[in-house]
Protein backbone atom coordinates (compact mmCIF):
# COMPACT_ATOMS: atom_id res chain seq x y z
CA UNK A 1 0.00 0.00 0.00
CA UNK A 2 1.26 3.42 -0.95
CA UNK A 3 -0.26 6.39 0.87
CA UNK A 4 -0.69 9.79 -0.72
CA UNK A 5 -2.09 12.82 1.07
CA UNK A 6 -3.13 16.24 -0.14
CA UNK A 7 -5.60 18.96 0.84
CA UNK A 8 -8.87 19.55 -0.95
CA UNK A 9 -8.30 22.80 -2.81
CA UNK A 10 -10.42 25.93 -2.97
CA UNK A 11 -11.59 25.38 -6.54
CA UNK A 12 -12.25 21.64 -6.29
CA UNK A 13 -15.74 21.95 -4.85
CA UNK A 14 -18.82 22.51 -6.97
CA UNK A 15 -22.04 24.49 -6.64
CA UNK A 16 -23.32 21.91 -4.14
CA UNK A 17 -20.25 22.82 -1.98
CA UNK A 18 -18.75 19.34 -2.06
CA UNK A 19 -15.86 17.96 -4.10
CA UNK A 20 -17.05 17.44 -7.68
CA UNK A 21 -17.40 13.74 -8.47
CA UNK A 22 -15.19 13.92 -11.57
CA UNK A 23 -12.42 15.41 -9.50
CA UNK A 24 -11.88 12.06 -7.74
CA UNK A 25 -10.41 10.61 -10.92
CA UNK A 26 -7.88 13.45 -10.95
CA UNK A 27 -7.06 12.54 -7.37
CA UNK A 28 -6.73 8.90 -8.44
CA UNK A 29 -4.29 9.84 -11.17
CA UNK A 30 -2.25 11.97 -8.77
CA UNK A 31 -2.07 8.98 -6.45
CA UNK A 32 -1.02 6.79 -9.40
CA UNK A 33 1.78 9.19 -10.33
CA UNK A 34 2.88 8.99 -6.69
CA UNK A 35 2.57 5.18 -6.75
CA UNK A 36 5.09 5.11 -9.60
CA UNK A 37 7.47 7.64 -8.09
CA UNK A 38 10.03 4.84 -7.76
CA UNK A 39 10.40 4.41 -11.52
CA UNK A 40 13.59 5.93 -12.91
CA UNK A 41 12.39 9.44 -13.83
CA UNK A 42 8.97 8.62 -12.41
CA UNK A 43 5.80 8.34 -14.42
CA UNK A 44 6.73 11.41 -16.53
CA UNK A 45 9.76 9.71 -18.09
CA UNK A 46 7.71 6.60 -18.86
CA UNK A 47 5.30 8.79 -20.83
CA UNK A 48 7.57 11.35 -22.43
CA UNK A 49 10.77 9.37 -23.09
CA UNK A 50 9.74 5.74 -23.30
CA UNK A 51 6.42 6.45 -25.03
CA UNK A 52 4.60 4.05 -22.76
CA UNK A 53 1.45 4.87 -20.84
CA UNK A 54 -1.29 3.27 -18.79
CA UNK A 55 -4.59 4.47 -20.27
CA UNK A 56 -7.75 3.51 -18.42
CA UNK A 57 -10.13 1.03 -19.99
CA UNK A 58 -12.53 0.70 -17.07
CA UNK A 59 -13.08 2.78 -13.95
CA UNK A 60 -15.56 2.06 -11.17
CA UNK A 61 -16.10 4.59 -8.43
CA UNK A 62 -18.24 4.36 -5.33
CA UNK A 63 -18.91 7.50 -3.33
CA UNK A 64 -19.85 7.02 0.31
CA UNK A 65 -19.34 10.43 1.92
CA UNK A 66 -18.73 13.95 0.64
CA UNK A 67 -15.44 15.80 0.92
CA UNK A 68 -15.43 19.55 1.51
CA UNK A 69 -13.05 22.46 1.28
CA UNK A 70 -10.72 22.28 4.26
CA UNK A 71 -10.69 18.49 4.37
CA UNK A 72 -7.43 16.67 3.88
CA UNK A 73 -7.53 13.65 1.63
CA UNK A 74 -5.65 10.41 2.31
CA UNK A 75 -5.44 7.96 -0.58
CA UNK A 76 -4.34 4.37 -0.05
CA UNK A 77 -3.30 2.76 -3.31
CA UNK A 78 -2.96 -0.97 -3.87
CA UNK A 79 -2.87 -3.39 -6.79
CA UNK A 80 -6.15 -5.30 -6.88
CA UNK A 81 -5.18 -7.44 -9.93
CA UNK A 82 -2.21 -7.89 -12.19
CA UNK A 83 -2.18 -9.44 -15.66
CA UNK A 84 0.34 -9.55 -18.50
CA UNK A 85 -0.74 -6.30 -20.06
CA UNK A 86 -3.27 -4.89 -17.64
CA UNK A 87 -3.64 -4.15 -13.96
CA UNK A 88 -6.32 -2.92 -11.60
CA UNK A 89 -5.44 -0.22 -9.10
CA UNK A 90 -7.62 0.33 -6.07
CA UNK A 91 -7.68 3.75 -4.40
CA UNK A 92 -9.30 4.00 -1.02
CA UNK A 93 -9.89 7.70 -0.40
CA UNK A 94 -10.41 8.82 3.17
CA UNK A 95 -11.02 12.09 4.94
CA UNK A 96 -7.72 12.20 6.81
CA UNK A 97 -9.15 13.65 10.03
CA UNK A 98 -11.89 11.08 10.59
CA UNK A 99 -10.49 8.17 8.64
CA UNK A 100 -13.88 7.78 6.94
CA UNK A 101 -13.79 6.30 3.44
CA UNK A 102 -15.32 8.86 1.06
CA UNK A 103 -14.69 7.10 -2.22
CA UNK A 104 -13.25 3.90 -3.60
CA UNK A 105 -12.00 3.78 -7.18
CA UNK A 106 -11.09 0.66 -9.17
CA UNK A 107 -8.98 1.71 -12.14
CA UNK A 108 -8.14 -0.82 -14.85
CA UNK A 109 -5.19 0.25 -16.95
CA UNK A 110 -3.50 -1.32 -19.95
CA UNK A 111 0.20 -0.95 -20.78
CA UNK A 112 0.17 0.89 -24.09
CA UNK A 113 2.60 1.97 -26.76
CA UNK A 114 1.38 5.56 -26.99
CA UNK A 115 2.59 6.17 -30.56
CA UNK A 116 0.80 3.11 -31.94
CA UNK A 117 -1.98 3.16 -29.31
CA UNK A 118 -1.54 -0.62 -28.98
CA UNK A 119 -1.32 -2.72 -25.86
CA UNK A 120 2.09 -4.15 -24.92
CA UNK A 121 3.42 -6.40 -22.17
CA UNK A 122 3.77 -4.53 -18.93
CA UNK A 123 7.37 -3.20 -18.71
CA UNK A 124 9.24 -5.07 -15.98
CA UNK A 125 9.96 -2.05 -13.78
CA UNK A 126 6.29 -1.04 -13.89
CA UNK A 127 5.27 -4.63 -13.15
CA UNK A 128 7.62 -4.75 -10.18
CA UNK A 129 5.86 -1.81 -8.56
CA UNK A 130 2.44 -3.31 -9.16
CA UNK A 131 3.68 -6.59 -7.64
CA UNK A 132 5.14 -4.94 -4.59
CA UNK A 133 1.72 -3.58 -3.69
CA UNK A 134 -0.55 -6.49 -4.59
CA UNK A 135 -3.39 -6.89 -2.09
CA UNK B 1 -32.51 10.08 -25.64
CA UNK B 2 -31.13 13.59 -25.33
CA UNK B 3 -28.14 14.43 -27.50
CA UNK B 4 -25.46 16.90 -26.46
CA UNK B 5 -22.51 17.88 -28.63
CA UNK B 6 -19.39 19.89 -27.90
CA UNK B 7 -15.82 20.06 -29.17
CA UNK B 8 -12.86 18.62 -27.29
CA UNK B 9 -11.02 21.67 -26.02
CA UNK B 10 -7.35 22.57 -26.25
CA UNK B 11 -6.63 21.99 -22.56
CA UNK B 12 -8.64 18.77 -22.15
CA UNK B 13 -5.92 16.43 -23.40
CA UNK B 14 -3.11 15.13 -21.23
CA UNK B 15 0.58 14.41 -21.67
CA UNK B 16 -0.34 11.26 -23.65
CA UNK B 17 -2.14 13.62 -26.11
CA UNK B 18 -5.58 12.09 -25.55
CA UNK B 19 -8.51 13.32 -23.50
CA UNK B 20 -7.76 12.74 -19.83
CA UNK B 21 -9.90 9.93 -18.42
CA UNK B 22 -11.23 12.02 -15.54
CA UNK B 23 -12.43 14.62 -17.99
CA UNK B 24 -15.17 12.26 -19.21
CA UNK B 25 -17.02 12.68 -15.93
CA UNK B 26 -17.03 16.42 -16.52
CA UNK B 27 -18.47 15.73 -19.96
CA UNK B 28 -21.08 13.47 -18.32
CA UNK B 29 -22.10 16.22 -15.94
CA UNK B 30 -22.36 18.74 -18.78
CA UNK B 31 -24.61 16.30 -20.59
CA UNK B 32 -26.67 15.88 -17.42
CA UNK B 33 -27.12 19.63 -17.05
CA UNK B 34 -28.29 19.64 -20.67
CA UNK B 35 -30.57 16.66 -19.98
CA UNK B 36 -32.32 18.74 -17.30
CA UNK B 37 -32.52 21.93 -19.36
CA UNK B 38 -36.31 21.51 -19.40
CA UNK B 39 -36.63 22.07 -15.63
CA UNK B 40 -37.91 25.52 -14.74
CA UNK B 41 -34.65 27.43 -14.31
CA UNK B 42 -32.73 24.35 -15.37
CA UNK B 43 -30.41 22.35 -13.13
CA UNK B 44 -28.94 25.56 -11.60
CA UNK B 45 -32.24 26.59 -10.00
CA UNK B 46 -32.71 23.07 -8.60
CA UNK B 47 -29.36 23.41 -6.85
CA UNK B 48 -29.25 27.04 -5.83
CA UNK B 49 -32.91 27.82 -5.07
CA UNK B 50 -34.55 24.51 -4.22
CA UNK B 51 -31.49 23.12 -2.43
CA UNK B 52 -31.85 19.77 -4.15
CA UNK B 53 -29.09 17.98 -5.99
CA UNK B 54 -28.22 14.65 -7.57
CA UNK B 55 -24.88 13.59 -6.11
CA UNK B 56 -23.26 10.48 -7.57
CA UNK B 57 -23.05 7.34 -5.49
CA UNK B 58 -21.65 5.03 -8.16
CA UNK B 59 -20.05 5.69 -11.54
CA UNK B 60 -18.85 3.06 -14.01
CA UNK B 61 -16.95 4.11 -17.08
CA UNK B 62 -15.68 2.02 -19.95
CA UNK B 63 -13.22 3.53 -22.38
CA UNK B 64 -13.07 1.98 -25.83
CA UNK B 65 -11.29 4.55 -28.01
CA UNK B 66 -9.33 7.72 -27.36
CA UNK B 67 -10.59 11.22 -28.13
CA UNK B 68 -8.14 13.86 -29.31
CA UNK B 69 -7.97 17.61 -29.70
CA UNK B 70 -10.00 18.54 -32.75
CA UNK B 71 -12.55 15.77 -32.25
CA UNK B 72 -16.13 16.70 -31.68
CA UNK B 73 -17.93 14.77 -28.98
CA UNK B 74 -21.54 13.55 -29.23
CA UNK B 75 -23.13 12.37 -26.01
CA UNK B 76 -26.37 10.39 -26.02
CA UNK B 77 -28.01 10.44 -22.60
CA UNK B 78 -30.71 8.03 -21.48
CA UNK B 79 -32.21 6.80 -18.21
CA UNK B 80 -31.02 3.25 -17.61
CA UNK B 81 -32.97 2.80 -14.35
CA UNK B 82 -35.33 4.82 -12.22
CA UNK B 83 -36.19 4.26 -8.55
CA UNK B 84 -37.97 6.33 -5.91
CA UNK B 85 -34.91 8.23 -4.81
CA UNK B 86 -32.24 7.20 -7.27
CA UNK B 87 -31.70 6.89 -10.99
CA UNK B 88 -29.02 5.63 -13.35
CA UNK B 89 -28.04 7.78 -16.29
CA UNK B 90 -26.25 6.25 -19.25
CA UNK B 91 -24.02 8.42 -21.42
CA UNK B 92 -22.87 7.00 -24.70
CA UNK B 93 -20.00 9.21 -25.87
CA UNK B 94 -19.09 9.11 -29.54
CA UNK B 95 -16.57 10.80 -31.77
CA UNK B 96 -19.09 12.78 -33.83
CA UNK B 97 -17.25 12.37 -37.15
CA UNK B 98 -16.95 8.57 -37.11
CA UNK B 99 -19.82 7.70 -34.81
CA UNK B 100 -17.44 5.43 -32.86
CA UNK B 101 -18.27 4.96 -29.18
CA UNK B 102 -15.29 6.21 -27.15
CA UNK B 103 -16.72 5.87 -23.67
CA UNK B 104 -19.83 4.72 -21.89
CA UNK B 105 -20.61 6.03 -18.43
CA UNK B 106 -23.23 4.68 -16.01
CA UNK B 107 -23.93 7.32 -13.39
CA UNK B 108 -26.07 6.48 -10.36
CA UNK B 109 -27.44 9.57 -8.66
CA UNK B 110 -29.55 10.03 -5.55
CA UNK B 111 -32.02 12.88 -5.03
CA UNK B 112 -30.58 14.73 -2.07
CA UNK B 113 -31.51 17.59 0.23
CA UNK B 114 -28.20 19.42 -0.03
CA UNK B 115 -28.49 21.26 3.30
CA UNK B 116 -29.08 18.06 5.26
CA UNK B 117 -27.16 15.82 2.83
CA UNK B 118 -29.99 13.29 3.11
CA UNK B 119 -31.76 11.39 0.35
CA UNK B 120 -35.31 12.46 -0.56
CA UNK B 121 -37.96 11.26 -2.98
CA UNK B 122 -37.18 12.33 -6.51
CA UNK B 123 -38.99 15.65 -7.15
CA UNK B 124 -41.80 15.09 -9.66
CA UNK B 125 -40.46 17.42 -12.35
CA UNK B 126 -37.05 15.74 -12.16
CA UNK B 127 -38.71 12.32 -12.27
CA UNK B 128 -40.74 13.32 -15.33
CA UNK B 129 -37.57 14.04 -17.29
CA UNK B 130 -35.96 10.76 -16.22
CA UNK B 131 -39.16 8.94 -17.27
CA UNK B 132 -39.35 10.62 -20.64
CA UNK B 133 -35.95 9.20 -21.53
CA UNK B 134 -36.11 5.71 -20.04
CA UNK B 135 -34.43 3.14 -22.24
CA UNK C 1 -16.28 41.59 -32.65
CA UNK C 2 -17.02 37.92 -32.29
CA UNK C 3 -19.51 36.92 -29.60
CA UNK C 4 -19.33 33.64 -27.73
CA UNK C 5 -21.85 32.53 -25.13
CA UNK C 6 -21.89 29.62 -22.70
CA UNK C 7 -23.33 28.83 -19.28
CA UNK C 8 -21.31 28.84 -16.09
CA UNK C 9 -21.02 25.18 -15.19
CA UNK C 10 -21.69 23.41 -11.91
CA UNK C 11 -18.02 22.74 -11.14
CA UNK C 12 -16.64 26.14 -12.19
CA UNK C 13 -17.36 27.89 -8.91
CA UNK C 14 -15.07 27.72 -5.89
CA UNK C 15 -15.51 27.51 -2.13
CA UNK C 16 -16.49 31.20 -2.10
CA UNK C 17 -19.39 30.20 -4.43
CA UNK C 18 -18.25 32.39 -7.32
CA UNK C 19 -16.46 31.48 -10.53
CA UNK C 20 -12.81 30.80 -9.72
CA UNK C 21 -10.58 33.59 -11.04
CA UNK C 22 -8.31 31.23 -12.97
CA UNK C 23 -11.32 29.82 -14.78
CA UNK C 24 -11.69 33.10 -16.73
CA UNK C 25 -8.55 32.29 -18.72
CA UNK C 26 -10.13 29.00 -19.74
CA UNK C 27 -13.17 31.00 -20.85
CA UNK C 28 -10.84 33.33 -22.76
CA UNK C 29 -9.23 30.42 -24.57
CA UNK C 30 -12.63 28.94 -25.44
CA UNK C 31 -13.60 32.31 -26.89
CA UNK C 32 -10.29 32.39 -28.83
CA UNK C 33 -10.96 28.93 -30.30
CA UNK C 34 -14.36 30.26 -31.35
CA UNK C 35 -12.76 33.45 -32.73
CA UNK C 36 -10.66 31.25 -35.05
CA UNK C 37 -13.49 28.95 -36.09
CA UNK C 38 -13.20 30.38 -39.60
CA UNK C 39 -9.72 28.89 -40.15
CA UNK C 40 -9.73 25.81 -42.35
CA UNK C 41 -10.01 23.04 -39.74
CA UNK C 42 -10.30 25.69 -37.02
CA UNK C 43 -7.74 26.24 -34.30
CA UNK C 44 -7.24 22.47 -33.81
CA UNK C 45 -5.78 21.97 -37.30
CA UNK C 46 -3.46 24.96 -36.82
CA UNK C 47 -2.07 23.27 -33.72
CA UNK C 48 -2.07 19.61 -34.64
CA UNK C 49 -1.35 19.64 -38.39
CA UNK C 50 0.45 22.90 -39.08
CA UNK C 51 2.39 22.85 -35.79
CA UNK C 52 1.65 26.53 -35.16
CA UNK C 53 0.22 27.93 -31.97
CA UNK C 54 -0.42 31.20 -30.21
CA UNK C 55 1.09 30.86 -26.73
CA UNK C 56 0.43 33.70 -24.29
CA UNK C 57 3.29 35.96 -23.26
CA UNK C 58 1.26 38.45 -21.22
CA UNK C 59 -2.24 38.34 -19.79
CA UNK C 60 -3.96 41.12 -17.85
CA UNK C 61 -7.30 40.49 -16.23
CA UNK C 62 -9.57 42.87 -14.38
CA UNK C 63 -12.46 41.48 -12.38
CA UNK C 64 -15.36 43.83 -11.72
CA UNK C 65 -18.24 41.58 -10.66
CA UNK C 66 -18.60 37.93 -9.68
CA UNK C 67 -20.22 35.26 -11.83
CA UNK C 68 -22.23 32.50 -10.18
CA UNK C 69 -23.61 29.10 -11.06
CA UNK C 70 -26.68 29.65 -13.19
CA UNK C 71 -25.30 32.76 -14.89
CA UNK C 72 -24.80 32.73 -18.62
CA UNK C 73 -21.57 34.24 -19.86
CA UNK C 74 -21.31 36.43 -22.98
CA UNK C 75 -17.79 37.05 -24.26
CA UNK C 76 -17.08 39.76 -26.83
CA UNK C 77 -13.71 39.21 -28.48
CA UNK C 78 -11.84 41.85 -30.45
CA UNK C 79 -8.28 42.47 -31.61
CA UNK C 80 -6.80 45.25 -29.50
CA UNK C 81 -3.42 45.29 -31.33
CA UNK C 82 -1.80 43.48 -34.21
CA UNK C 83 1.92 43.21 -34.95
CA UNK C 84 3.99 41.05 -37.30
CA UNK C 85 4.36 38.16 -34.90
CA UNK C 86 2.11 39.08 -32.01
CA UNK C 87 -1.41 40.25 -31.32
CA UNK C 88 -3.47 41.34 -28.35
CA UNK C 89 -6.94 39.91 -27.93
CA UNK C 90 -9.46 41.67 -25.71
CA UNK C 91 -12.25 39.66 -24.12
CA UNK C 92 -15.09 41.57 -22.54
CA UNK C 93 -16.96 39.07 -20.39
CA UNK C 94 -20.51 39.94 -19.40
CA UNK C 95 -23.26 38.30 -17.39
CA UNK C 96 -25.63 37.75 -20.28
CA UNK C 97 -28.81 38.54 -18.33
CA UNK C 98 -27.78 41.94 -17.00
CA UNK C 99 -25.14 42.89 -19.55
CA UNK C 100 -22.80 43.80 -16.70
CA UNK C 101 -19.09 43.43 -17.46
CA UNK C 102 -17.66 40.89 -14.99
CA UNK C 103 -14.12 40.63 -16.35
CA UNK C 104 -11.93 42.06 -19.06
CA UNK C 105 -8.92 40.10 -20.25
CA UNK C 106 -6.09 41.38 -22.46
CA UNK C 107 -4.25 38.40 -23.92
CA UNK C 108 -0.99 38.92 -25.81
CA UNK C 109 -0.13 35.99 -28.02
CA UNK C 110 2.86 35.26 -30.25
CA UNK C 111 2.71 33.16 -33.41
CA UNK C 112 4.96 30.24 -32.60
CA UNK C 113 6.46 27.23 -34.34
CA UNK C 114 5.52 24.70 -31.65
CA UNK C 115 8.23 22.16 -32.51
CA UNK C 116 11.03 24.72 -32.26
CA UNK C 117 9.18 26.94 -29.73
CA UNK C 118 10.31 29.97 -31.77
CA UNK C 119 8.26 32.97 -32.88
CA UNK C 120 7.31 33.20 -36.55
CA UNK C 121 5.47 35.69 -38.72
CA UNK C 122 1.74 35.47 -38.19
CA UNK C 123 0.30 33.08 -40.84
CA UNK C 124 -1.79 35.06 -43.32
CA UNK C 125 -5.09 33.31 -42.60
CA UNK C 126 -4.64 33.87 -38.87
CA UNK C 127 -3.71 37.51 -39.51
CA UNK C 128 -6.81 37.99 -41.67
CA UNK C 129 -9.06 37.01 -38.77
CA UNK C 130 -7.24 39.29 -36.36
CA UNK C 131 -7.56 42.15 -38.91
CA UNK C 132 -11.25 41.57 -39.48
CA UNK C 133 -11.92 42.20 -35.79
CA UNK C 134 -9.50 45.05 -35.02
CA UNK C 135 -11.04 47.59 -32.65
CA UNK D 1 9.27 34.94 0.79
CA UNK D 2 7.35 31.71 1.07
CA UNK D 3 8.39 28.88 -1.25
CA UNK D 4 5.94 26.30 -2.57
CA UNK D 5 6.92 23.40 -4.79
CA UNK D 6 4.87 20.87 -6.72
CA UNK D 7 5.21 18.75 -9.85
CA UNK D 8 3.52 19.59 -13.13
CA UNK D 9 0.81 16.96 -13.44
CA UNK D 10 -0.09 14.70 -16.33
CA UNK D 11 -3.30 16.51 -17.21
CA UNK D 12 -2.00 20.08 -16.82
CA UNK D 13 -0.50 20.35 -20.29
CA UNK D 14 -2.52 21.26 -23.35
CA UNK D 15 -2.57 20.20 -27.00
CA UNK D 16 0.60 22.24 -27.58
CA UNK D 17 2.26 19.97 -24.94
CA UNK D 18 3.03 22.80 -22.52
CA UNK D 19 1.31 23.83 -19.33
CA UNK D 20 -1.93 25.62 -20.24
CA UNK D 21 -1.64 29.36 -19.53
CA UNK D 22 -4.80 29.45 -17.40
CA UNK D 23 -3.36 26.74 -15.19
CA UNK D 24 -0.79 29.19 -13.79
CA UNK D 25 -3.54 31.01 -11.89
CA UNK D 26 -4.49 27.72 -10.25
CA UNK D 27 -0.82 27.34 -9.30
CA UNK D 28 -0.90 30.91 -7.93
CA UNK D 29 -3.91 30.14 -5.78
CA UNK D 30 -2.31 26.95 -4.48
CA UNK D 31 0.73 29.02 -3.54
CA UNK D 32 -1.54 31.57 -1.85
CA UNK D 33 -3.25 28.85 0.20
CA UNK D 34 0.23 27.71 1.24
CA UNK D 35 1.23 31.34 1.98
CA UNK D 36 -1.63 31.51 4.50
CA UNK D 37 -0.99 28.11 6.06
CA UNK D 38 -0.04 29.92 9.27
CA UNK D 39 -3.57 31.25 9.85
CA UNK D 40 -5.48 29.35 12.51
CA UNK D 41 -7.26 26.70 10.40
CA UNK D 42 -5.49 28.00 7.32
CA UNK D 43 -7.18 29.66 4.38
CA UNK D 44 -10.09 27.16 4.50
CA UNK D 45 -11.29 28.33 7.90
CA UNK D 46 -11.07 31.98 6.81
CA UNK D 47 -13.44 31.16 3.94
CA UNK D 48 -15.78 28.64 5.45
CA UNK D 49 -16.07 29.77 9.10
CA UNK D 50 -15.20 33.46 9.11
CA UNK D 51 -16.88 34.17 5.76
CA UNK D 52 -13.95 36.25 4.61
CA UNK D 53 -12.14 35.82 1.31
CA UNK D 54 -9.60 37.48 -0.92
CA UNK D 55 -11.17 37.67 -4.38
CA UNK D 56 -8.95 38.91 -7.19
CA UNK D 57 -9.65 42.29 -8.76
CA UNK D 58 -6.62 42.43 -11.05
CA UNK D 59 -4.16 39.79 -12.22
CA UNK D 60 -1.17 40.36 -14.47
CA UNK D 61 0.81 37.42 -15.75
CA UNK D 62 3.97 37.35 -17.82
CA UNK D 63 5.07 34.10 -19.39
CA UNK D 64 8.73 33.78 -20.24
CA UNK D 65 9.34 30.05 -20.73
CA UNK D 66 7.11 27.00 -21.08
CA UNK D 67 6.69 24.31 -18.43
CA UNK D 68 6.24 20.70 -19.48
CA UNK D 69 5.08 17.44 -17.98
CA UNK D 70 7.86 16.15 -15.77
CA UNK D 71 9.01 19.60 -14.69
CA UNK D 72 8.85 20.51 -11.07
CA UNK D 73 7.54 23.97 -10.28
CA UNK D 74 8.94 26.25 -7.59
CA UNK D 75 6.84 29.25 -6.64
CA UNK D 76 8.27 32.11 -4.60
CA UNK D 77 5.51 34.22 -3.09
CA UNK D 78 5.98 37.72 -1.71
CA UNK D 79 3.82 40.72 -0.88
CA UNK D 80 4.43 43.40 -3.50
CA UNK D 81 2.05 45.96 -1.93
CA UNK D 82 -0.17 46.18 1.11
CA UNK D 83 -3.08 48.59 1.64
CA UNK D 84 -5.91 48.78 4.18
CA UNK D 85 -8.24 46.51 2.27
CA UNK D 86 -6.15 45.21 -0.59
CA UNK D 87 -2.80 43.62 -1.24
CA UNK D 88 -0.71 42.56 -4.21
CA UNK D 89 0.89 39.13 -4.17
CA UNK D 90 3.78 38.39 -6.48
CA UNK D 91 4.43 34.79 -7.53
CA UNK D 92 7.72 34.06 -9.23
CA UNK D 93 7.33 30.64 -10.83
CA UNK D 94 10.48 28.75 -11.73
CA UNK D 95 11.31 25.42 -13.26
CA UNK D 96 12.90 23.89 -10.16
CA UNK D 97 15.67 22.05 -12.02
CA UNK D 98 17.08 25.00 -13.96
CA UNK D 99 15.91 27.87 -11.75
CA UNK D 100 14.58 29.62 -14.87
CA UNK D 101 11.62 31.92 -14.29
CA UNK D 102 8.72 30.65 -16.40
CA UNK D 103 6.00 33.01 -15.24
CA UNK D 104 5.47 35.95 -12.95
CA UNK D 105 2.02 36.71 -11.64
CA UNK D 106 0.90 39.88 -9.85
CA UNK D 107 -2.36 39.16 -8.05
CA UNK D 108 -4.33 42.03 -6.47
CA UNK D 109 -6.79 40.81 -3.87
CA UNK D 110 -9.34 42.64 -1.74
CA UNK D 111 -10.44 41.52 1.72
CA UNK D 112 -14.12 40.76 1.26
CA UNK D 113 -17.11 39.83 3.37
CA UNK D 114 -18.24 36.92 1.20
CA UNK D 115 -21.90 37.00 2.29
CA UNK D 116 -22.31 40.69 1.44
CA UNK D 117 -19.62 40.68 -1.29
CA UNK D 118 -18.31 43.97 0.16
CA UNK D 119 -14.74 44.97 0.89
CA UNK D 120 -13.64 45.11 4.51
CA UNK D 121 -10.48 46.06 6.37
CA UNK D 122 -7.87 43.34 6.11
CA UNK D 123 -8.22 41.08 9.21
CA UNK D 124 -5.22 41.55 11.45
CA UNK D 125 -3.96 37.95 11.25
CA UNK D 126 -4.13 38.04 7.45
CA UNK D 127 -2.38 41.42 7.43
CA UNK D 128 0.38 40.07 9.66
CA UNK D 129 1.23 37.38 7.12
CA UNK D 130 1.24 39.87 4.25
CA UNK D 131 3.52 42.15 6.31
CA UNK D 132 5.93 39.37 7.19
CA UNK D 133 6.61 38.79 3.50
CA UNK D 134 6.66 42.35 2.14
CA UNK D 135 9.33 42.78 -0.52
Amino acid sequence: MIVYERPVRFEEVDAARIVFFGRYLYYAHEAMEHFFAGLDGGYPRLITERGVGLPAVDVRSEFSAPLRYGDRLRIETTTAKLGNRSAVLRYRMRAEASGQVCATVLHTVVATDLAAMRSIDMPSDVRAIFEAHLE
Side-chain angles (χ1 to χ4, degrees), chain A:
Chain A
M1 185 172 85
I2 296 275
V3 174
Y4 175 69
E5 292 196 6
R6 51 102 88 207
V8 170
R9 294 196 206 294
F10 185 66
E11 74 280 7
E12 293 174 348
V13 296
D14 58 30
R17 315 203 78 171
I18 57 178
V19 169
F20 184 64
F21 79 120
R23 177 64 57 182
Y24 289 82
L25 300 194
Y26 288 69
Y27 294 160
H29 201 276
E30 269 188 47
M32 187 180 84
E33 293 194 54
H34 183 72
F35 186 81
F36 286 118
L39 291 178
D40 184 28
Y43 196 70
R45 190 171 299 166
L46 186 70
I47 296 287
T48 58
E49 293 182 20
R50 295 164 66 185
V52 173
L54 296 171
V57 292
D58 190 286
V59 181
R60 305 189 168 209
S61 312
E62 286 174 29
F63 301 96
S64 41
L67 280 167
R68 297 172 196 281
Y69 181 50
D71 286 340
R72 191 171 172 82
L73 180 61
R74 172 189 165 91
I75 305 180
E76 301 163 357
T77 307
T78 51
T79 306
K81 258 195 226 175
L82 181 57
N84 283 336
R85 302 189 159 203
S86 70
V88 181
L89 287 154
R90 187 192 313 267
Y91 310 91
R92 203 165 267 116
M93 302 191 186
R94 299 179 189 274
E96 197 272 340
S98 66
Q100 185 177 19
V101 174
C102 296
T104 303
V105 177
L106 278 169
H107 178 202
T108 306
V109 299
V110 174
T112 299
D113 173 330
L114 293 175
M117 270 291 156
R118 260 202 308 265
S119 71
I120 56 172
D121 285 346
M122 195 71 73
S124 59
D125 54 345
V126 175
R127 164 172 303 278
I129 292 176
F130 278 125
E131 272 173 353
H133 301 286
L134 261 170
E135 293 173 1

